[in-house]
Amino acid sequence: MRWFENNTDKVVDLLLSHVWLSVVPIVLGFVIAVPIGWYANRHPRVRGVLLTMAGVLYTVPSLALFLILPSIIGTGFLDPLNVVVALTMYAVAIMARSASDAFGSVSPGVLDAATAAGFAPAGRAFQVELPLAGPVLVAGLRVVAVSTVSLVSVGALTGVNNLGSLFTEGYRTDNDAEILVGVIGIVALALVFDGLIVLAGRLLLPWSRSSRSTTRSPVSPIMSFAQHLRGGRV
Amino acid sequence: MIEYRSIGKTFADGTEAVGDFSLVLPSRTTTVFVGSSGCGKTTLLRMVNRMVDPSRGQVLIDDVDIATRNRVELRRSIGYVMQNAGLLPHRKVIDNVATVLRLNGVGKKEARDRSYAVLETVGLDTSLATKYPSQLSGGQQQRVGVARGLVSDPNILLMDEPFGAVDPIVREELQTELLRLQRDLDKTIVFVTHDIDEAFLLGDQVVILKKGGEVAQVGSPADILAAPADDFVRSFVGIDKGSRTLHVEERDGVRVVVDGTGKATGVLESS
Ligand SMILES: Nc1ncnc2c1ncn2[C@@H]1O[C@H](COP(=O)(O)OP(=O)(O)OP(=O)(O)O)[C@@H](O)[C@H]1O
Ligand SMILES: [Mg+2]
C-alpha cells in the first residue's frame, strides 16, 4: 500500500468528487421519483406506461448515455453534468417503481380512516401516505444508492474524474495497487451510503421497527445490484 | 337529527348498493343498522360524512342538505369509528387521538391534555399513550378508535362494526362501556353491525335491512320483538330458533325463566 501513502491527496480528491457525483443523482432521483411513484400508484394505467418507459431507459447502457447526452442537452463531452444527468435518470427509473410499490403498500383501511378523520387530500399525502410508504421507499433508495455509487465509476471512461479513474489509470500503467484502492474505495463508499440511509430510516421511521406484524422485508441492495450487473449494465 | 330522503346509491361499476331509502334518526339516540353482509349498511353510514355521495336523494343533518357542506369540514365535525380501529400506525396512541383535534385547529398543548382525558374516559391506561398502535391488543386499539371518535366532542358518532374484530368477552366489555358513555354523552350515534344481539343491546332505534338497503323493519327492540313485520324479520331476530321465546316454569316455589330450547336463562322476581 505504499502507492496509497504516496497518493493520499489524489485519492481523497477523487473520493470527494465521487461523493458529489453520487449524492446529487441519488437525492435528485429520489425527489423526482417519489411524486411520480405516488401518481402512478393512484392511476394504474399511467403506472403501466411509466414503468415500461423506466424499464426501457434502464436498458440503455450507461456509457452510451454518457456519450449521447452532450448532443441532447448541449454540454461538453468532459462535462461532469453528463454523468449527473444520466445517473439521475437511472435513479428515477429504479426509484419510480419502488415508490409506486411503496405507496401501494400503505393499508387502504388506514387511508380510509385518515380521510374520515378529516385529513384534506394534501395533508393526507404528506402526513399519512408519505411516512407510511417510508419503509419501502428506504429499501428502494438503498438500491439506488449502491447502484449509483458503482455507476459513477463508468464516468471515468468519459474523462470525468472520480474513484473510477483509478481503474482506468491503474489499467493503463499496469498498477494493481491503484486498481485495488479504487475497488476498496468504491465498495466502502457504497457501504457508507447504505449505512447512512438505514440509519436515517431508523431515526425517521421509529414506528416501523416496533411493528409486530412483519413488514415486507426489503430486497437487499447488494442482491439487486448483482442482478443489475447480470442484466448487462456498466 | 339526521334524515335520509329517498336515498339511492349506484356505484360506478353498476352495483346498486341502495335502492330507495328514507329514515329519520332522532338526535341523542342510537340508531343501529343491522343486516347481513353486503346489504348496504356501510354505504348508508358513510353517506353521513360524505365518504360516499348518494346517486339519488339527500342526506340532511339538522335540516341542512350535507351536499352543500364542504366534505373535509363535515368529516372533522363527525366522529368515525371503524372495524380494526384504523389507527395511524406511524403515530403514537396519544397522537392518533390528538390528530383529530389538531385537524380542527386546536393548539398542541390543549389537544394533548384533552386526548389524555378522553383516553381515561374510554377506560384506557394512560401508560399506553406513548406506545404505537401495533403494540396494543385488538381490544385496546378499538378503545383508542372510540377515543379518537369522541375526542372532538362531535354531536354525531358513526360506528361501522367497531367491535366486530375482537373476541366475545372484550366485545361485551366494549359494548357495556359504550352504553355507559352514551348515558353521559348523549350523542347521536349511528351504529352498524350484523349481530342482532348487539343491535338490540345498543339501539334505541333498530333498522333491519335486506339486500339493496331495503328496510325490513324499523322500531325499538321491544317493538320489533313484539310485532315482527314478516318472516324475514322473525327469522333474522331468531324468534324461530326459540332463544327469544321465554316461558316460566316453577321449581320449588321459584319461578325460573326457560327459553324455547329448554335452556334456563334466569329467575323471575315478584315485583
Ligand atoms: N366502492 C364500491 N364500488 C362498487 N361496489 C361497492 C362499493 N362499495 C360497496 N359496494 C357494493 O355495495 C353493496 C353494499 O356494500 P356495503 O359495504 O354497504 O355492505 P355492508 O352492508 O356494509 O356489508 P358488510 O356487512 O359486509 O360490511 C355490496 O354489494 C358491495 O359489494
Ligand atoms: Mg360494512
Side-chain angles (χ1 to χ4, degrees):
Chain A
M1 286 285 99
R2 173 104 41 78
W3 183 87
F4 178 60
E5 282 157 30
N6 293 338
N7 294 275
T8 319
D9 288 352
K10 173 173 161 179
V11 173
V12 169
D13 274 354
L14 292 176
L15 175 71
L16 286 179
S17 53
H18 204 113
V19 167
W20 273 114
L21 290 170
S22 318
V23 166
V24 175
I26 294 170
V27 171
L28 276 181
F30 185 78
V31 170
I32 296 170
V34 165
I36 294 178
W38 180 82
Y39 187 83
N41 177 54
R42 305 194 105 201
H43 302 89
R45 264 195 238 137
V46 180
R47 182 189 149 92
V49 173
L50 275 175
L51 296 187
T52 307
M53 275 167 50
V56 169
L57 169 66
Y58 202 60
T59 62
V60 179
S62 53
L63 188 52
L65 197 53
F66 294 152
L67 297 175
I68 302 167
L69 266 179
S71 60
I72 301 177
I73 58 175
T75 40
F77 268 99
L78 298 180
D79 198 330
L81 203 58
N82 299 329
V83 173
V84 170
V85 171
L87 294 186
T88 302
M89 288 164 70
Y90 287 131
V92 172
I94 311 176
M95 196 64 214
R97 173 177 291 271
S98 289
S100 170
D101 291 347
F103 288 106
S105 74
V106 179
S107 147
V110 170
L111 295 180
D112 198 56
T115 305
F119 276 96
R124 196 186 81 163
F126 283 102
Q127 295 172 44
V128 182
E129 292 175 61
L130 187 58
L132 291 181
V136 183
L137 287 176
V138 165
L141 189 60
R142 292 175 66 185
V143 176
V144 170
V146 172
S147 136
T148 304
V149 166
S150 157
L151 281 175
V152 164
S153 55
V154 182
L157 292 174
T158 67
V160 176
N161 284 332
N162 60 69
L163 288 174
S165 310
L166 299 177
F167 302 161
T168 46
E169 195 181 277
Y171 183 72
R172 202 157 22 80
T173 59
D174 205 7
N175 183 345
D176 288 347
E178 188 172 354
I179 294 178
L180 190 64
V181 169
V183 172
I184 293 174
I186 289 173
V187 170
L189 190 59
L191 290 177
V192 168
F193 276 21
D194 191 48
L196 287 176
I197 293 169
V198 170
L199 189 68
R202 294 218 173 132
L203 293 177
L204 290 171
L205 312 166
W207 52 274
S208 67
R209 281 191 311 153
S210 65
S211 179
R212 268 190 206 164
S213 55
T214 45
T215 43
R216 199 191 291 186
S217 83
V219 201
S220 143
I222 306 296
M223 282 306 292
S224 314
F225 188 60
Q227 268 176 355
H228 139 123
L229 285 180
R230 237 181 296 127
R233 162 113 9 276
V234 179
Chain B
M1 186 181 78
I2 304 171
E3 184 178 357
Y4 292 89
R5 264 192 206 158
S6 308
I7 283 294
K9 177 67 190 181
T10 308
F11 283 105
D13 65 356
T15 312
E16 185 174 87
V18 179
D20 180 9
F21 181 85
S22 296
L23 186 75
V24 172
L25 291 71
S27 292
R28 299 172 197 285
T29 61
T30 302
T31 297
V32 179
F33 291 148
V34 59
S36 42
S37 189
C39 69
K41 307 179 294 289
T42 298
T43 305
L44 285 171
L45 184 82
R46 288 160 67 93
M47 284 180 186
V48 178
N49 64 352
R50 296 198 64 192
M51 294 289 284
V52 171
D53 283 326
S55 317
R56 306 171 288 280
Q58 300 160 291
V59 179
L60 297 91
I61 294 178
D62 296 330
D63 299 317
V64 176
D65 184 349
I66 60 170
T68 64
R69 295 189 52 185
N70 175 293
R71 61 180 81 222
V72 172
E73 306 275 312
L74 179 72
R75 287 171 194 151
R76 289 178 184 171
S77 72
I78 294 177
Y80 189 87
V81 186
M82 61 197 283
Q83 192 171 356
N84 294 320
L87 301 176
L88 302 174
H90 63 304
R91 297 210 175 155
K92 293 178 177 157
V93 164
I94 188 74
D95 298 321
N96 259 283
V97 179
T99 290
V100 180
L101 290 173
R102 300 286 291 140
L103 288 171
N104 277 299
V106 177
K108 235 182 184 137
K109 170 92 172 60
E110 190 194 338
R112 256 184 116 71
D113 294 347
R114 281 173 65 182
S115 300
Y116 269 109
V118 78
L119 283 178
E120 271 177 42
T121 311
V122 300
L124 258 186
D125 195 320
T126 45
S127 68
L128 297 176
T130 52
K131 295 202 185 271
Y132 287 103
S134 60
Q135 298 170 306
L136 267 54
S137 73
Q140 289 167 336
Q141 289 184 31
Q142 213 54 59
R143 280 177 199 267
V144 179
V146 174
R148 189 171 64 171
L150 288 174
V151 71
S152 61
D153 200 20
N155 293 326
I156 297 174
L157 188 59
L158 306 178
M159 309 183 84
D160 192 351
E161 305 199 37
F163 313 141
V166 293
D167 69 68
I169 295 171
V170 176
R171 185 177 317 148
E172 223 176 290
E173 262 175 47
L174 290 168
Q175 289 167 343
T176 313
E177 197 80 14
L178 182 63
L179 282 171
R180 181 183 65 76
L181 282 172
Q182 173 63 351
R183 257 203 313 277
D184 301 339
L185 299 176
D186 260 354
K187 304 285 177 205
T188 305
I189 299 180
V190 190
F191 193 103
V192 162
T193 179
H194 52 244
D195 175 358
I196 187 68
D197 292 318
E198 187 169 63
F200 281 170
L201 177 67
L202 300 175
D204 300 306
Q205 171 172 255
V206 173
V207 185
I208 300 179
L209 295 166
K210 293 187 198 173
K211 215 162 168 41
E214 189 193 331
V215 176
Q217 188 166 5
V218 182
S220 69
D223 290 343
I224 293 175
L225 281 172
D230 56 20
D231 285 346
F232 175 84
V233 174
R234 202 184 304 277
S235 113
F236 194 83
V237 303
I239 289 176
D240 297 342
K241 280 183 301 184
S243 58
R244 297 215 192 265
T245 46
L246 311 176
H247 64 275
V248 176
E249 287 175 13
E250 200 152 306
R251 301 273 161 85
D252 303 329
V254 181
R255 286 178 296 166
V256 179
V257 180
V258 179
D259 71 13
T261 66
K263 200 174 77 176
T265 62
V267 284
L268 202 64
E269 289 183 340
S270 39
S271 50

